[in-house]
Structures are given as structure tokens and as C-alpha cells.
Amino acid sequence: MTWKKAVLVLSVVIALILTLIAVHPADVSELREHTDVRLSQSAKIPFHHAFSLTGFALSGSWEGSGSAKVWLVGGEKRYLVLDTKAVTSTLEFSSFGTRFESACDETCSIPPLQAEYLLIVLSGPGFLTIDSYHMAIPLEPTGFLSYPKTVFDLPTPNHALFLLALLLLISVIGSHALGHYCRNLVTKRIVLMVFLGAFIALGSVFGVTLLTPTSAFSIVTKQVVSVFAAFVLVVLVVLTAFEILVHRQPGPKQDVWKDLEDAEEKWEK
């Protein structure tokens, strides 16, 4: 079928692009640092890291009827990281607080900044909880000289993305090939579902990798798709074994009585 050939070609192209993305080092590295900060009043949190930042975001939650603003300060420059008024206007408020993930206002992309501290200003009653920092760090050699190599190493290829693309490509090609040999109608339908599902999963990984490579949604999508890819590969192995066992050609049966008669005739002669 023509549409199946088109799906195969697209799958190979997408897998090649993801492979190039996986093995090509980026000019920035993303770090996530877990923290445990809970504030009910304005405060200044020192930033002790020696490297410069080209991006900064926060994950956590806000509870209360007031509002909070978080600023990233370095030298004479100050950038707004979070304004809870904008967060509560787009997310539903609950008794557990308003959750925000990788929130950044003016710090999503900034010139290299040597941050000194976070300035948190609370207006009205409320509690601000910060679970983690998301930091984009430039990989210029000058940025590594003062930073211990045992903590921050040079960028390495993203083998997880490469392996995920490879598994999905094997699932697409394997299900297509298996579909030509299946004789059972139910098996053919399952193989077709695997074929389309693997292609959709591969396209989803490709989309989030290009559009939002470092977002929480991208990470969750890749985790879900990786589980799906492993499950699909197991299904293909089981279906292949089933088809081999069910439709295996029986070998020639030996006629024991015929052999005995021939031996008896030879003995009589």
C-alpha cells in the first residue's frame, strides 16, 4: 500500500533527524537542582553557583490570596522569574496550592549572567514553595575553568533519545514486515495497530524534541513513549513466535510399518 510506504519513509527520516539531534552536542546544558524552600514573607536567597546562566526557571507552588514575585539578581541587572498573579490566572486554584512547572518570565533566555541571589517579594498572605531550579548554562570553555570537572563534565551524546528513536523505528519496520507473513486476521489487526501506534509515538517524540526540548511536558512524553516502545517490542516478539509456532510446516512423518515390511521382504529374499 502506498500510505504504508509513506509511513516507512517518514519514520526513517524522523529517526535520522532524532539521531542527529542526539549525537550533536548543544551549546548549552540544562541542570536541575532540587531545593526545599517555603516562604511566607519576603526574603533574599543567595545564589552560590560559580557558573553563569543563560536561562533560569522555577518549579513549585503558591498558596494564598496574596501574590509573590521572584527576581534573579546579578550585579546591576535584575530579571523577573515568576509572578504568581500570572500563574493563578491561568491555572485552577485548589486547596493544595497552584502548581507551576519550569516557570520563567524574563529569564527563559537571557544574556550570560553571574547570578548573586534570588529576591522574593510577597504581597499579602500566602506561602511560596520552590521545589527545584532549572538552569541553562553556556558551554564555552571559559565557563568551565573555575568549575570542578568532577561535578560538571563536557556534553555527551544523548543516547536515551537515540535508543528511543531506534526502538520505535524497529517497531515500525518490524510490524510492517510481520504484516506480510501473518495469516490470522486478528494478528494482522494487532500488527497494524502496532505499526500506526509506533509511528505516532515516533512523531510525538520528534515534535516535543523540536518544540519544547527542555520542558516538563517533553520529559514526561519521552518517559511515556519509552515505556510504550518497550511494550510494543515485546508484543512484536510474542506475535512473531506465535506465527512461527502456529504455521510451522510439519516435517515428513516416517512410516514405521512400511520400513518394517521392507526389512522383512529383504530378509526373506
Side-chain angles (χ1 to χ4, degrees):
M1 287 182 142
T2 305
W3 69 271
K4 287 188 175 181
K5 293 181 180 179
V7 169
L8 287 174
V9 172
L10 284 176
S11 298
V12 173
V13 171
I14 291 174
L16 288 176
I17 295 175
L18 289 176
T19 301
L20 293 176
I21 295 174
V23 300
H24 185 272
D27 56 352
V28 296
S29 180
E30 301 289 338
L31 289 182
R32 180 172 183 175
E33 179 181 348
H34 294 279
T35 183
D36 186 14
V37 176
R38 183 175 174 82
L39 300 171
S40 59
Q41 59 184 357
S42 300
K44 183 188 293 185
I45 302 178
F47 199 82
H48 298 292
H49 296 296
F51 48 78
S52 59
L53 301 176
T54 56
F56 186 78
L58 297 174
S59 292
S61 61
W62 166 256
E63 305 172 48
S65 57
S67 63
K69 289 185 178 182
V70 181
W71 303 82
L72 181 67
V73 181
E76 298 180 355
K77 296 181 179 179
R78 186 174 71 170
Y79 298 95
L80 180 63
V81 182
L82 171 69
D83 185 358
T84 58
K85 289 182 179 179
V87 174
T88 54
S89 64
T90 56
L91 298 177
E92 183 180 355
F93 190 82
S94 67
S95 58
F96 299 100
T98 303
R99 183 74 188 173
F100 51 87
E101 292 287 344
S102 301
C104 58
D105 192 338
E106 300 176 349
T107 57
C108 297
S109 179
I110 57 177
L113 176 70
Q114 189 68 46
E116 298 176 3
Y117 58 89
L118 292 177
L119 178 61
I120 303 173
V121 179
L122 271 66
S123 302
F127 291 93
L128 177 66
T129 302
I130 300 177
D131 297 334
S132 57
Y133 299 150
H134 305 268
M135 299 171 285
I137 303 169
L139 298 181
E140 290 83 6
T142 55
F144 294 118
L145 295 181
S146 61
Y147 200 78
K149 291 185 178 180
T150 56
V151 179
F152 191 80
D153 296 324
L154 293 175
T156 56
N158 186 353
H159 296 295
L161 181 61
F162 168 72
L163 292 176
L164 180 57
L166 182 62
L167 282 178
L168 292 173
L169 181 62
I170 291 175
S171 300
V172 172
I173 297 177
S175 58
H176 176 72
L178 184 60
H180 291 292
Y181 297 97
C182 290
R183 300 179 184 178
N184 187 283
L185 183 60
V186 176
T187 307
K188 278 183 172 293
R189 290 178 178 176
I190 296 176
V191 170
L192 181 60
M193 292 173 61
V194 170
F195 178 74
L196 295 176
F199 175 71
I200 293 173
L202 184 61
S204 301
V205 173
F206 179 69
V208 298
T209 301
L210 291 184
L211 298 178
T212 58
T214 61
S215 66
F217 176 74
S218 176
I219 295 174
V220 172
T221 300
K222 291 176 183 178
Q223 290 175 345
V224 172
V225 171
S226 65
V227 175
F228 173 77
F231 174 75
V232 163
L233 201 61
V234 172
V235 170
L236 285 179
V237 172
V238 171
L239 291 177
T240 302
F242 174 77
E243 287 294 320
I244 292 175
L245 292 176
V246 171
H247 302 292
R248 182 175 57 183
Q249 295 293 336
K253 296 181 179 179
Q254 295 182 350
D255 193 343
V256 179
W257 294 107
K258 177 67 175 174
D259 293 341
L260 289 175
E261 290 178 358
D262 292 340
E264 185 178 358
E265 290 179 359
K266 290 181 181 180
W267 182 76
E268 289 178 352
K269 292 179 179 179

